[in-house]
Amino acid sequence: MKTFISDMLNNYDKSHPIRLHMPGHKGKGEDFYGRDITELTFSDNLRTPSGVIQQSQRAYAQELNVKFCHYLVNGSTVGLFAFAYSSAGKVLTEEKCHVSLKNSLELADKQVVYMPSKDNEGIPQPPTVADIAQYVEQDGSIGTVIITSPNYYGKCADLKAIYKYCRSKKLLLFVDSAHGAHLGLSKLLPYNACEFCDAAVESTHKTLGALTQTAVLLTDDAKLSAELKQYVNIFTTTSPNYLLIESIEKAMVRACDAKKDYQALYNEVVRFKNNCRELGWTFVNNDDFTRLVLDCKPHNETGTAVYNALQRQGVYCEYADSRYVIAIVTLYDNGLSLDAFYTALKDMVVTSESYEPMYADACFGDADKIISN
């Protein structure tokens, strides 16, 4: 994949321009300031791309074998808002969907049917075709299904079967795949959500290497692409940061250039898990090997207590609940990161601590209750 946006920023910065435009720092300050620019004649426009941004988006889409890609700089949140406003009929979604989806459905004044979330040993399970069919058969006014895949614990829905069912019922299927931007980039990983849905939104900062609050919206449908983009433009900033836009491109370039590195990362994860097993630590079997879900119950500890104990040793994981600790590894990790994790587990001294809700708890499930507390 070529670096259209990065090349443009490099060329401009190296030309030593007289910057009579925003931003006010004029490229002076930190090293990266020289790449922070505004919309100029050559830099394209994120709202109506026709130059380097359009070229970059097309190249990104091509890597995932999808027709349309829209870069987002307000996170997957703005993509979920576009889903809500583009949805048809009643919306069927999960009770523990992301809070930004709930907010967008409320603002769009959509009628929503919430499916109760199922779990297995405390691990949330994605909805099945049977789950969705049960509600669709009961309520003929449902026109859109929005589900999360993968979820926080690395569990993926059977999107292939769900999409087939939704098409047979003429239902729109949107997927919140915020944690799945890396999927499909290796045979060791599940397929990318964009293969089996009407549209998917993916956070490029979560599992690729882009800067925080970047994401992409992917679809194969030209008409739907235009409609979704219309709503994205309503909710997104009119002053997008080119460093964010560039980082999306660079993240995919890095991933494409290093697809073989997923094999090396997989080997390191297997080695790490085997070593941990000798210490009595076990990990949950899930669909995404880069999502490590540590089960703390066999050690009679809460996930939060282990999470805090790891922090005291300089190992900062993504999330913990009352039983599990979740760690994320990416192409930017290696055996050294996992060795440090292993050593921390080996040398851990856990103090008795009760479970305390974390930030992610405020994004799913009983968000209002947690936030109010």
Side-chain angles (χ1 to χ4, degrees):
M1 176 174 164
K2 290 183 63 178
T3 52
F4 303 97
I5 299 166
S6 189
D7 291 348
M8 175 271 294
L9 291 173
N10 278 333
N11 292 336
Y12 182 60
D13 189 30
K14 290 178 180 178
S15 70
H16 305 293
I18 303 301
R19 297 170 181 251
L20 302 180
H21 59 73
M22 298 184 294
H25 56 66
K26 302 304 178 78
K28 299 172 182 176
E30 302 295 334
D31 290 343
F32 62 84
Y33 276 28
R35 310 170 69 76
D36 184 17
I37 66 172
T38 189
E39 293 87 351
L40 301 169
T41 55
F42 57 85
S43 63
D44 208 357
N45 186 318
L46 185 62
R47 299 177 68 81
T48 56
S50 60
V52 291
I53 295 177
Q54 182 185 66
Q55 291 173 297
S56 183
Q57 290 179 155
R58 286 175 175 172
Y60 192 111
Q62 187 174 3
E63 293 296 340
L64 293 176
N65 196 31
V66 68
K67 292 180 181 177
F68 302 99
C69 169
H70 300 290
Y71 287 170
L72 310 177
V73 294
N74 290 66
S76 285
T77 294
V78 75
L80 294 179
F81 269 70
F83 284 174
Y85 279 81
S86 297
S87 61
K90 283 186 181 179
V91 175
L92 176 66
T93 191
E94 299 156 88
E95 190 176 52
K96 289 189 177 180
C97 65
H98 198 274
V99 66
S100 58
L101 177 58
K102 289 186 176 180
N103 289 340
S104 61
L105 291 169
E106 182 178 348
L107 284 174
D109 198 26
K110 296 290 182 175
Q111 289 185 290
V112 186
V113 177
Y114 287 105
M115 294 180 284
S117 299
K118 300 177 181 179
D119 69 75
N120 180 17
E121 294 291 322
I123 300 291
Q125 302 297 302
T128 65
V129 174
D131 295 330
I132 293 169
Q134 175 185 345
Y135 287 90
V136 172
E137 299 303 326
Q138 291 176 354
D139 191 338
S141 59
I142 291 174
T144 304
V145 177
I146 306 178
I147 61 175
T148 304
S149 182
N151 64 20
Y152 224 92
Y153 295 78
K155 293 283 188 177
C156 295
D158 185 357
L159 292 178
K160 189 173 183 179
I162 292 173
Y163 188 40
K164 182 179 180 180
Y165 172 78
C166 287
R167 294 190 70 175
S168 72
K169 297 294 182 178
K170 294 183 171 54
L171 305 173
L172 281 173
L173 175 62
F174 294 146
V175 181
D176 175 1
S177 192
H179 288 265
H182 63 305
L183 300 187
L185 295 178
S186 167
K187 293 181 179 179
L188 296 167
L189 294 164
Y191 53 73
N192 194 284
C194 67
E195 291 188 45
F196 299 105
C197 64
D198 290 291
V201 63
E202 303 177 355
S203 293
T204 48
H205 70 92
K206 283 182 165 65
T207 56
L208 294 181
L211 293 173
T212 299
Q213 80 182 48
T214 58
V216 291
L217 196 161
L218 307 165
T219 181
D220 267 332
D221 187 309
K223 182 179 179 181
L224 181 59
S225 174
E227 182 177 357
L228 289 167
K229 178 60 173 173
Q230 178 183 8
Y231 285 115
V232 165
N233 283 349
I234 290 174
F235 294 108
T236 200
T237 176
T238 56
S239 301
N241 189 309
Y242 273 83
L243 296 172
L244 297 180
I245 303 170
E246 178 194 25
S247 76
I248 300 173
E249 176 182 81
K250 293 177 76 173
M252 180 53 82
V253 169
R254 167 71 174 87
C256 292
D257 289 346
K259 287 181 179 179
K260 64 182 184 300
D261 291 349
Y262 275 111
Q263 180 67 62
L265 182 62
Y266 176 81
N267 293 341
E268 291 293 348
V269 168
V270 171
R271 180 180 66 86
F272 165 73
K273 287 184 175 181
N274 288 337
N275 290 338
C276 289
R277 193 174 296 115
E278 295 178 1
L279 301 176
W281 291 102
T282 59
F283 290 82
V284 173
N285 290 325
N286 57 14
D287 301 306
D288 179 3
F289 79 86
T290 71
R291 188 63 53 115
L292 307 177
V293 183
L294 179 68
D295 189 353
C296 303
K297 186 176 181 179
H299 282 250
N300 295 315
E301 301 291 351
T302 66
T304 308
V306 172
Y307 176 93
N308 290 334
L310 288 168
Q311 282 200 154
R312 288 191 287 270
Q313 297 183 80
V315 177
Y316 297 84
C317 292
E318 167 69 19
Y319 170 69
D321 62 20
S322 59
R323 176 171 173 175
Y324 302 100
V325 174
I326 297 176
I328 300 172
V329 293
T330 72
L331 288 173
Y332 297 80
D333 288 296
N334 53 37
L336 295 177
S337 302
L338 292 170
D339 286 345
F341 192 2
Y342 167 80
T343 300
L345 289 172
K346 182 179 179 181
D347 299 338
M348 183 181 306
V349 176
V350 181
T351 58
S352 178
E353 299 177 47
S354 61
Y355 170 63
E356 294 292 336
M358 301 179 67
Y359 171 74
D361 293 300
C363 295
F364 299 90
D366 300 325
D368 295 336
K369 181 174 70 175
I370 293 169
I371 293 173
S372 65
N373 290 341

